Structures are given as structure tokens and as C-alpha cells.
Amino acid sequence: MSSRKKGVNTICTHVGEIKDEQFKGAISPLYMSTSYAFEDVEVKRYPRYFNTPNQVALSQKIAALEHAEAALIFGSGMAAISTALLAFLGTGDHVVLQKTLYGGTYNFINEEFPKYGIEYSFTEGLEAHDFEAKIQENTKVVFIETPSNPLLTITDLKAIAQIAKKNGLVSMIDNTFASPINQNPIDFGIDVIIHSATKYMGGHSDICAGAVASTQENIERISQLAKNLGGSLSDHTVWLLERSIKTMGIRVKAQNSNAQHMAEYLEAHSEIDRVYYPGLPNHPDHVLAKAQMKGFGGMLSFELNADYDASLFQKSLQLIKPSMSLASVESTVISPTLASHALLSPEERKSQGIADGLIRFSVGIEEPEDLITDIEQALKSVRSNKMAATH
Ligand SMILES: *Cc1c(COP(=O)(O)O)cnc(C)c1O
């Protein structure tokens, strides 16, 4: 075998696969055992120890995809996020958090950290100095998410990694929106890479899982706590996730290209006020996104004109599904005001830049022409509804 690094689709398809020695089957066999012979005392295999054959095989694939030494698979993205954070934070420690984080992460920190006596500060902005300004003597971790939800802001990976190194902090990223196909933060010096595998890794709206990738040393530290917290993933789902990841490269590349197409179409549309997509040259961080991402991703947001009702628009769509999750092969939309950010006050939403007409769009693998036809007919339907109401 040559030592040339394998291409990303080859990693997706082959790395970590378990050879079927017995029957020579083409794919990894599934081992559902929760009990393994005790003979080999060096490896006590047990699902909650994160070391069954299928768990180990999939971890190798995810580590390779993130250019990391090792990885761990979890029962959800939140199990991965909570375990990674708590592995490096204890009573009296402090963490610097990016201003805009996934709602579940935000809730976990706000609701649980006070119970553990862990201190935290959110940044005011996303520039390097905003992070530096929040560092205290007891700061241990800096946590970012880029591109962010729902406005697709971009945080500078290299700058954050440098700040972390200079101050002896562990840097962590929620890399879910980019996927390992579009962004490998380890190459920029970020220490711990976290994914909700429910999203692009799964990609078919049928798996809930999470993953963490890092150095061997960090993964050992995280796995110590993971065993105690118990957030492991069933081998059956591990096996399904391995299958899903085989097509992640081609799925995500199709989604990148569709999202770019849709962003350009929406931006030129007279009934759309604004489009947030890092692949558009007028995105405030387009140059930074280009420098640290291999593709701009399948997520974008847009603002309908003020006279279009977001709820009515969503109801009028026929192909694109209004739905909670994202990153699947089918296109979905959500109104942050009506769903993910509904609990915030109108003032809080405004301060976060979330307009009432904002629609978050997870672009799937359908033909872009069909997505455009659907959006056109939905806008038309909202218009004629309004005309009927005013006459
Ligand atoms: C969905 C999501 C999570 C949480 O993942 P679960 O698998 O739902 O626990 C975390 N971060 C981001 C960015 C997400 O989109």
C-alpha cells in the first residue's frame, strides 16, 4: 500500500470497515453483542465502554474524516457536546462561549453549569478580541460554532486556535453545519471537533447520534467521563451510520452546489429582502469562509419581504418540508421566530438579527429547478391569499 493520503470519498467508503472473514461479505458485519469473552483482559468490550467492534470501526472512519488521531461515537449530538465540555471543566472553572450557539447547547450550559459551579461567559461579537476580552484566570475552554445557526456567521478558526494556545485553553468547535467534508478545524489548530451526526453524517432524517474527534490523549480523557455518563450509541445505529457516511461526500457536495444555486436565485429575487449564505461574495465573511472551508455548505437563511407571512409561506410549500431538523437529502425549512427561537422575546430576537420573515433553508439533493418552482408557487399562493383577504 502506498502511503498517499486517501481521498475523502475513499475514506467515507472504506476506512474502518470490518472485514467479513467468515463469509467475505462486502460490508462490515454487525456485532450486537453486549457481552464479550473475558479472555482478553486488556480489552473489556462493552457498548457503554464505547469499544465494541462496530463502535471502534466507525470511530476510525470519523477520526480519518476529521484528520484526527481518534474519535468517539455518542447517542446524540448533545451527548457528545455535554461529555466533551464536562471532560475539561469542573467546579470553579470558566469557559468562553461564542455568542450564538445551537439552542440545545445554550440550554445545557444555562440550565446545568450553575449546578456544577462552572462559570461561563458569552462573547459580545465573533472577532478574536471579543473572545480574548472574556478570558479569565480560571478559563479552561473556548467553544465556537461555525457556520452558526441560523445566520451562518463565520468564526476565524486560526485566530481562535491561536488564542487558545496562547492562554493554555482547550479549543472546541461544533462542526455540525459544515460537516467534515467542508471543514476540518484540526488543520487550523482547533483541539476538539464535535458533530451532531444526526445531521450531515446521518443525512436521511433517520439516525440520532453524535461524535467527537481529537488527539488520542483528549479522546481518552473524554471516554473516561463518557463511560460514567453512559451516552453510548446502539451498535445497530452505529452500523446504519457507517452506511450513511459512505455517501456523505457525494451528498454534501451536491448540497453545496444546490445551496449556492438557491442562494443566488433568492438573492436576485425581488420578494426576498436578504440572503445569508457564506458562498455569496457579499456575505460579510465570504473571504474568511473561503480560506477555511472547502465548500460553503447546504445551509442558508433568507428574509421574506415584510408583507409575506412566514407561517403562510411555509404552509404553502409543497415539495420543501417545514420541519425541525436539517441536513438531510430532502430540503426542509424552518422559521426561527416560530420554532427554534420562539421562546425569546421580540427584542432578544431583534438583537440577534432574527427577523420575523427569516426562513432557515436546509438544501437537499433535489434538482434546484424543482425547489425554485416550489418557492415560486408558494410565494404566488401567499400573494393571492392576501389579495383575497384585502378585497
Ligand atoms: C442538531 C444539532 C445539535 C444537537 O444534536 P442532537 O443530535 O440533536 O443531540 C448540536 N449542534 C448543532 C449545530 C445541531 O444542528
Side-chain angles (χ1 to χ4, degrees):
M1 280 290 280
S2 92
S3 59
R4 194 181 70 84
K5 240 177 71 191
K6 291 188 185 75
V8 73
N9 282 322
T10 312
I11 296 174
C12 282
T13 318
H14 291 296
V15 170
E17 63 193 352
I18 302 171
K19 284 219 161 49
D20 177 0
E21 300 289 0
Q22 198 175 0
F23 298 110
K24 316 282 184 224
I27 60 156
S28 297
L30 165 59
Y31 296 98
M32 284 298 290
S33 282
T34 55
S35 176
Y36 290 85
F38 216 49
E39 292 155 7
D40 186 357
V41 285
E42 275 182 50
V43 192
K44 297 191 187 81
R45 288 192 197 280
Y46 187 59
R48 188 173 42 78
Y49 291 175
F50 293 71
N51 63 2
T52 62
N54 290 95
Q55 287 172 337
V56 170
L58 182 59
S59 297
Q60 286 167 357
K61 195 190 290 292
I62 290 175
L65 283 167
E66 279 295 10
H67 306 170
E69 288 172 15
L72 279 182
I73 319 298
F74 288 84
S76 70
M78 281 316 302
I81 290 169
S82 56
T83 308
L85 278 168
L86 292 177
F88 290 91
L89 292 166
T91 305
D93 292 338
H94 174 260
V95 50
V96 175
L97 304 156
Q98 173 172 321
K99 173 184 155 184
T100 43
L101 290 180
Y102 173 75
T105 310
Y106 184 80
N107 291 344
F108 165 63
I109 288 159
N110 272 312
E111 291 169 20
E112 310 303 332
F113 276 19
K115 297 181 197 164
Y116 295 97
I118 300 169
E119 297 171 34
Y120 57 94
S121 311
F122 286 95
T123 61
E124 306 287 330
L126 299 180
E127 303 297 323
H129 63 84
D130 293 307
F131 286 85
E132 275 181 313
K134 296 292 175 182
I135 295 173
Q136 308 176 174
E137 217 168 282
N138 56 344
T139 305
K140 295 284 159 61
V141 173
V142 55
F143 188 100
I144 61 169
E145 186 178 319
T146 177
S148 74
N149 179 25
L151 295 179
L152 290 306
T153 61
I154 305 294
T155 310
D156 188 333
L157 297 175
K158 217 197 259 169
I160 300 301
Q162 277 168 3
I163 290 169
K165 293 226 157 59
K166 202 172 90 193
N167 293 279
L169 316 179
V170 177
S171 52
M172 297 189 185
I173 182 173
D174 183 335
N175 203 30
T176 302
F177 265 39
S179 90
I181 304 303
N182 287 330
Q183 183 166 274
N184 295 123
I186 280 186
D187 297 347
F188 297 86
I190 301 292
D191 298 312
V192 178
I193 320 304
I194 310 174
H195 284 278
S196 167
T198 314
K199 312 297 165 53
Y200 286 104
M201 289 191 183
H204 296 75
S205 303
D206 56 8
I207 284 172
C208 182
V212 177
S214 190
T215 58
Q216 189 70 43
E217 190 186 346
N218 284 341
I219 289 297
E220 269 162 32
R221 181 168 176 157
I222 295 164
S223 84
Q224 280 302 319
L225 176 66
K227 277 179 208 172
N228 292 338
L229 293 180
S232 57
L233 185 65
S234 144
D235 280 301
H236 185 241
T237 313
V238 167
W239 181 82
L240 285 173
L241 185 54
E242 185 197 341
R243 185 186 64 172
S244 292
I245 293 178
K246 284 179 198 261
T247 58
M248 178 169 61
I250 55 172
R251 277 190 278 112
V252 168
K253 283 173 195 168
Q255 284 165 309
N256 288 345
S257 140
N258 276 3
Q260 184 75 37
H261 192 112
M262 296 309 293
E264 287 169 11
Y265 149 75
L266 290 163
E267 191 176 50
H269 205 293
S270 60
E271 283 142 307
I272 307 297
D273 277 350
R274 234 179 125 164
V275 181
Y276 300 86
Y277 184 63
L280 290 176
N282 67 2
H283 183 289
D285 291 318
H286 175 66
V287 173
L288 176 59
K290 214 168 166 173
Q292 65 188 28
M293 300 181 78
K294 295 169 208 176
F296 299 112
M299 299 299 301
L300 62 93
S301 286
F302 59 94
E303 272 172 32
L304 297 164
N305 281 176
D307 42 334
Y308 283 87
D309 178 70
S311 165
L312 212 54
F313 170 75
Q314 289 193 94
K315 280 187 195 134
S316 307
L317 291 165
Q318 292 172 354
L319 180 70
I320 303 167
K321 293 189 179 84
S323 98
M324 196 66 197
S325 199
L326 58 104
S328 184
V329 288
E330 68 269 3
S331 292
T332 59
V333 288
I334 197 169
S335 153
T337 298
L338 299 172
S340 55
H341 295 64
L343 294 178
L344 300 184
S345 68
E347 294 76 40
E348 282 176 307
R349 274 197 295 273
K350 200 161 172 233
S351 82
Q352 293 191 17
I354 295 166
D356 285 347
L358 187 73
I359 303 284
R360 190 193 71 190
F361 188 3
S362 170
V363 184
I365 63 167
E366 303 93 336
E367 303 306 327
E369 293 70 25
D370 295 327
L371 300 174
I372 289 172
T373 303
D374 195 28
I375 290 174
E376 288 298 337
Q377 70 76 27
L379 288 170
K380 197 170 157 202
S381 156
V382 177
R383 268 197 311 271
S384 50
N385 251 310
K386 224 180 124 162
M387 302 250 289
T390 50
H391 283 281

